[in-house]
Amino acid sequence: MTLPLAAPPSSAPIADGPELIDLHPALADMERLVIEGLSHHPRQLPAWFLYDAEGSQLFDRICEQPEYSLTRNETKLLEERAGDMAQALGQGFDKQPVLVEFGAGNLRKVGPLLKTLQPAAYVALDISADHLIPACRALQARHPDVPVLGVCCDYANIDQLPPHPLLEGRPLVGFYPGSSLGNFDRPQARDLLAHFAELLGHGSRLLIGIDQPRQPARLEAAYDDAAGVSAAFAFNLLRRLNRELAGNFDPAGFRYQAQWEPTGSRIAMALVSRQNQMVDLAGRRWSFAAGEPLITEYSVKYTPEAFLALAAEAGWGPLGRWSDGADDLSLHLLTHGKMHDHAQDCNHVNPILQPSQP
Ligand code: AVI
């Protein structure tokens, strides 16, 4: 899964603030991924392509839509239960761990954990540097005692965390909220969980947010909100491709669609071609048939049991689970290591093994 880096990493302090290391995939890598994705049937691009500066802002607006409850519910759960979560996340290490957040976005969820865990440092990984820089600066101002480091990267495709004095000799624990695991198909999701274990190290712990299946109508509305923000988020992908990879997509030639697919337990989001058409992109000419979808992303929903089975395939075992009142989503605490270690640990955090009550 590793992308060769076409450009050396650059690192710079964010004016009077935390440092940012830039490992964004190079244009040549993006071009290769576009050619691979459009040659695939159905056509599909990596979900991280959606997150340029504009896309990241649109995603933040999706999180505010009444139909999209995931962010609100998860944030509330974190605010209410961060003390228990931090206690279990940081348990058993001889030094204060560093907290590493994957796909950190606007950094608005981690605050309660920083307060309760008091990590030695906090590392935020996100694909959009434009979004990460102001978010890191604001977070550092709110939490002056925790050193903050931003890393702009495709976290699924880095070989290791960048060597940095803040991480040296420290245990690492992971935080992956927002159910972004669902934006990878199952084999990729399993590989990603295994990859997190490699990045964090043996014996590490991971707190991960997972959205669960519920009535299809609710899910379809969450991914196709009445205000049209989800659709705008998808259409922004075409604008990005036109701008960065010499494309000539005409957005009017496509319509947005979000459909629940029961067999995959997932929402499929797509831009569907309204007619037969040709599009130039990445130095090639692509034909789209009328009705043909370009999948912009999937969002797989896992029951707690299905998620834990997937995590086990990647060597992660359960330590605890917290859920929102409606049991629409869970924050799972996992540990990577031998199964009997998990059983012991579970005894320590037994009270949190059941969903929390509203
Ligand atoms: C980031 N990710 C978890 C979102 C989701 O719910 O799958 C992405 C998203 N796309 C459209 N709406 C939300």
Side-chain angles (χ1 to χ4, degrees), residues 51 59 62 68 70 178-180 183 223 233 269 297 299 301:
Y51 297 90
F59 180 65
I62 289 176
Y68 193 80
L70 198 166
S179 201
S180 297
N183 299 133
Y223 290 90
F233 178 60
M269 284 159 271
E297 50 177 346
S299 193
K301 307 299 170 189

Side-chain angles (χ1 to χ4, degrees), residues 226-250:
V229 187
S230 300
F233 178 60
F235 277 109
N236 180 60
L237 174 68
L238 301 187
R239 286 204 298 279
R240 177 180 199 179
L241 294 173
N242 285 350
R243 191 176 60 243
E244 295 184 28
L245 292 171
N248 67 353
F249 276 103
D250 174 9

Side-chain angles (χ1 to χ4, degrees), residues 102-172:
F102 300 101
N106 61 20
L107 314 189
R108 295 218 187 108
K109 288 185 185 158
V110 75
L113 273 187
L114 293 184
K115 273 198 201 131
T116 47
L117 181 66
Q118 288 287 315
Y122 166 69
V123 182
L125 278 64
D126 196 79
I127 192 67
S128 171
D130 292 327
H131 212 54
L132 196 55
I133 291 171
C136 281
R137 199 183 285 131
L139 188 82
Q140 187 69 89
R142 291 198 298 275
H143 299 273
D145 299 339
V146 181
V148 172
L149 173 67
V151 183
C152 168
C153 66
D154 169 15
Y155 54 80
N157 284 297
I158 48 168
D159 283 339
Q160 53 174 35
L161 293 173
H164 193 279
L166 284 175
L167 290 103
E168 242 163 59
R170 290 276 172 191
L172 307 177

Side-chain angles (χ1 to χ4, degrees), residues 35-47:
I35 291 169
E36 270 171 31
L38 293 189
S39 308
H40 189 262
H41 183 76
R43 294 185 159 150
Q44 184 188 354
L45 298 180

